[in-house]
Every structure is written in structure tokens, then in C-alpha cells.
Amino acid sequence: TVLYCYLGMVLHANDKFDEALKNLTLAEELEPTNSLAKYQKANVYFSQQRYHDALDVLNQVRDFAPREASVHFLMGKVCKRLGRVNDAILHF
């Protein structure tokens, strides 16, 4: 599953969002508790401006890693883009 995650990250970095999501989803299906796959999937959604999808995934990641700073930072960015400034401030 780690290879699928890293392949998804490389594809995301090359703006191949659909292919990245396929690999990250596969990694998630093979290992449902894989926080890295979920977090990277949220990153792809953020890049696609699919903020509600990103927030849904980030809420799942937060359940697995409640103290992970990068998760809260991305949640703050998503909330800011959604116009939810008070929620954004809580995550930053």
C-alpha cells in the first residue's frame, strides 16, 4: 500500500489528479486504516477545489491521528476556502 501512496503523491505532483486518486483509493481499499493514503487523497481533492470532499476525508484522518498538525493545517485551509473562517482559526 505504501507504493500506491507514493505513486499517488508523484502523480498528484505532476497534476495527474484522476490517476493519483485511483492509486490512493486502491491503497485505502487495501489498508482501510492507512492515514497517509487518506491524507494525500484530501490533498488531491484540495488541489481540485473539491473542498467538501477534502473535508470529509480529513475528518476520517483526524479520527485516526487526532494530534497530527498537518491534518489540522489542511483542515484550516479547506475551511478558509469554504468561507468558514471561525472553523479555520480553530484548526490553525
Side-chain angles (χ1 to χ4, degrees), residues 18-58:
D18 292 335
E19 292 177 49
L21 285 173
K22 285 179 189 174
N23 281 279
L24 293 166
T25 299
L26 181 56
E28 191 178 4
E29 289 171 356
L30 292 171
E31 188 180 346
T33 59
N34 187 334
S35 297
L36 177 62
K38 291 179 188 300
Y39 176 76
Q40 292 302 329
K41 193 174 183 180
N43 263 322
V44 175
Y45 286 146
F46 184 82
S47 295
Q48 293 179 309
Q49 299 178 356
R50 293 172 57 182
Y51 303 124
H52 291 286
D53 292 330
L55 196 56
D56 289 343
V57 174
L58 287 167

Side-chain angles (χ1 to χ4, degrees), residues 62 72-73 75-76 79 84-92:
R62 187 182 57 189
H72 286 282
F73 184 73
M75 287 180 89
C79 287
R84 295 168 45 184
V85 178
N86 290 335
D87 290 336
I89 291 169
L90 290 174
H91 290 292
F92 288 132

